[in-house]
Amino acid sequence: MIQEFTEKKAELILGGNVKIPKGFDVGVRVSRSTAGPGAGNPSVVFAFGGCRVKKAISYDDGEFDLVERDKRLSLYRGGSPFLDDVRIQPVAFHCPEQAFFNLDQRCIYHCVYCNSPFLGRDTWKDLNDDKILADIASMPGVVCAVALTSGVFGSVGETVGRMVSCIRKIRAAYPDMPVGVEPYVDDRKQIDSLREAGATEIKINCEAATSEVFSKVCPDLDYGNIFKMLAYAVEVFGKGHVASNLIYGFGEDNADVIARMEMLAKMGVAPGLRALKINPCNRRRIEDAVGTVEPNTPERVLSLAKEQKRIMAEYGIDTRTFRTMCFECTCCDIVPFRDI
Ligand code: SF4
Ligand code: SF4
């Protein structure tokens, strides 16, 4: 049964929108992310069989249909039953139980898959430290952890400085709150300053499985330096509190993904996997960079997640030591030790 739910989750992760019946009230605050794979779309979290997945919703069209009968919700695909008992789970900010903020959607860099800098002003949330504190305070007992990400605006140092300021205020108001950060860093001192301000977990993304792919999809970033930053982050934050996401689906082999995960795990870094999703906003940029790519399949998602779990277990790494960000949220990936 667990296997069946995990397979459905893999299909949902890669699939299209969920169509909501006209007039149906989702009953929870709709998330409008400015980062992550659903950036820009209204979305809600669907929970089923111990899994949860965040899906873009639409009243007009979708690959999946939400159907309500006798107060029970189910999902259909192509007119056939897909999942017969789903729940809509509330989000705090961006994801369940966490307040996850994107401090700045603008970015001086040009990663080809990233839609964040292209979102319209209507999704821009004009966040500042006081608004973030007020948002957290508005959900007492709901927000169990805080996480911060940001596009790089101005310089890397200035962007980290804004994160540091925000962490200090959160830490002063909530001494015991887990605080995760997902910055782009290019200097060890930035990692020290994030830890000293009170961050408890850090995710520094290596983004791609190979340097060849990386140079095409993140042309402005420094692949080699990211691994230096990760090694130092393990010294500062400790094993079990440092993660790195890599996106697959740019034409690399599974062997490339597995080798990169092994390299990260050997360093004490938890490898996070994210299946590339191509959408109308990023398609052209991705195809210009790497050519036409085979779309990811649910089978690939599941088999790489199993490899990810095997590698983590081999190096004594577990997603359950993380209290913030994507390992804790689980909405966009098959997460080892939580979903499988
Ligand atoms: S560094 Fe790359 S992935 Fe991060 S916000 Fe900027 S463009 Fe997007
Ligand atoms: S898994 Fe990560 S990107 Fe996806 S909704 Fe959760 S926190 Fe956001």
Side-chain angles (χ1 to χ4, degrees):
M1 198 52 136
I2 289 170
Q3 175 76 12
E4 184 196 326
F5 286 128
T6 315
E7 284 169 9
K8 298 276 174 165
K9 180 172 174 180
E11 290 182 57
L12 280 162
I13 286 169
L14 295 178
N17 292 354
V18 174
K19 186 174 174 215
I20 304 289
K22 291 262 179 282
F24 178 83
D25 177 5
V26 294
V28 294
R29 218 167 50 83
V30 169
S31 166
R32 284 180 193 274
S33 307
T34 57
N41 296 316
S43 50
V44 298
V45 173
F46 295 96
F48 55 93
C51 298
R52 59 189 182 191
V53 65
K54 191 172 180 186
K55 292 295 300 171
I57 55 167
S58 166
Y59 285 101
D60 302 319
D61 52 44
E63 179 177 341
F64 301 91
D65 285 287
L66 183 72
V67 174
E68 184 182 31
R69 259 188 221 114
D70 304 327
K71 302 216 161 123
R72 274 166 73 99
L73 295 176
S74 46
L75 288 176
Y76 279 63
R77 181 162 64 178
S80 303
F82 180 75
L83 265 175
D84 70 0
D85 192 7
V86 298
R87 241 173 356 97
I88 292 178
Q89 189 172 358
V91 295
F93 292 93
H94 174 77
C95 59
E97 294 119 24
Q98 291 186 56
F100 197 157
F101 299 104
N102 183 8
L103 298 184
D104 205 322
Q105 76 186 51
R106 298 169 296 180
C107 191
I108 55 174
Y109 298 138
H110 307 87
C111 304
V112 297
Y113 49 83
C114 180
N115 291 339
S116 186
F118 296 90
L119 300 178
R121 289 293 297 182
D122 58 328
T123 55
W124 174 237
K125 294 174 180 167
D126 255 335
L127 284 175
N128 56 46
D129 295 353
D130 292 337
K131 178 157 187 335
I132 285 172
L133 279 175
D135 280 348
I136 298 168
S138 73
M139 291 204 165
V142 175
V143 173
C144 303
V146 180
L148 304 175
T149 188
S150 182
V152 178
F153 196 70
S155 66
V156 176
E158 284 167 312
T159 305
V160 173
R162 282 195 291 277
M163 229 175 233
V164 164
S165 152
C166 189
I167 300 163
R168 281 207 186 105
K169 289 185 183 156
I170 294 165
R171 184 53 67 227
Y174 302 95
D176 301 321
M177 182 77 85
V179 177
V181 287
E182 187 186 28
Y184 181 68
V185 283
D186 59 7
D187 190 305
R188 288 177 173 81
K189 290 196 194 85
Q190 293 155 359
I191 295 169
D192 289 328
S193 65
L194 290 161
R195 181 73 187 105
E196 281 158 18
T200 52
E201 294 172 12
I202 190 166
K203 180 145 67 100
I204 302 168
N205 296 327
C206 68
E207 310 288 5
T210 68
S211 59
E212 191 198 352
V213 171
F214 184 89
S215 64
K216 292 177 184 163
V217 301
C218 302
D220 315 311
L221 309 186
D222 183 340
Y223 201 49
N225 200 43
I226 288 171
F227 296 103
K228 288 185 192 150
M229 295 296 110
L230 281 164
Y232 187 63
V234 175
E235 284 178 37
V236 174
F237 281 78
K239 182 177 171 181
H241 305 286
V242 181
S244 184
N245 255 24
L246 76 87
I247 303 169
Y248 61 92
F250 294 117
E252 72 295 300
D253 295 334
N254 281 359
D256 297 327
V257 178
I258 290 165
R260 187 59 62 195
M261 287 197 289
E262 275 174 342
M263 180 222 182
L264 289 166
K266 207 170 181 176
M267 293 167 61
V269 175
L273 286 183
R274 175 64 44 89
L276 175 67
K277 279 191 72 179
I278 298 182
N279 54 49
C281 183
N282 64 17
R283 176 178 294 280
R284 179 74 193 272
R285 284 177 278 129
I286 290 170
E287 290 183 353
D288 284 351
V290 295
T292 309
V293 287
E294 283 290 312
N296 281 311
T297 61
E299 293 72 29
R300 188 180 194 205
V301 170
L302 289 166
S303 85
L304 282 174
K306 284 178 192 155
E307 292 293 332
Q308 183 188 15
K309 183 176 181 185
R310 176 188 64 73
I311 291 163
M312 283 184 164
E314 192 178 328
Y315 289 94
I317 294 172
D318 191 318
T319 61
R320 290 168 296 186
T321 59
F322 291 83
R323 297 267 63 90
T324 74
M325 302 184 279
C326 300
F327 285 146
E328 175 73 11
C329 168
T330 75
C331 277
C332 298
D333 315 294
I334 305 294
V335 179
F337 308 107
R338 295 179 188 249
D339 290 319
I340 53 169

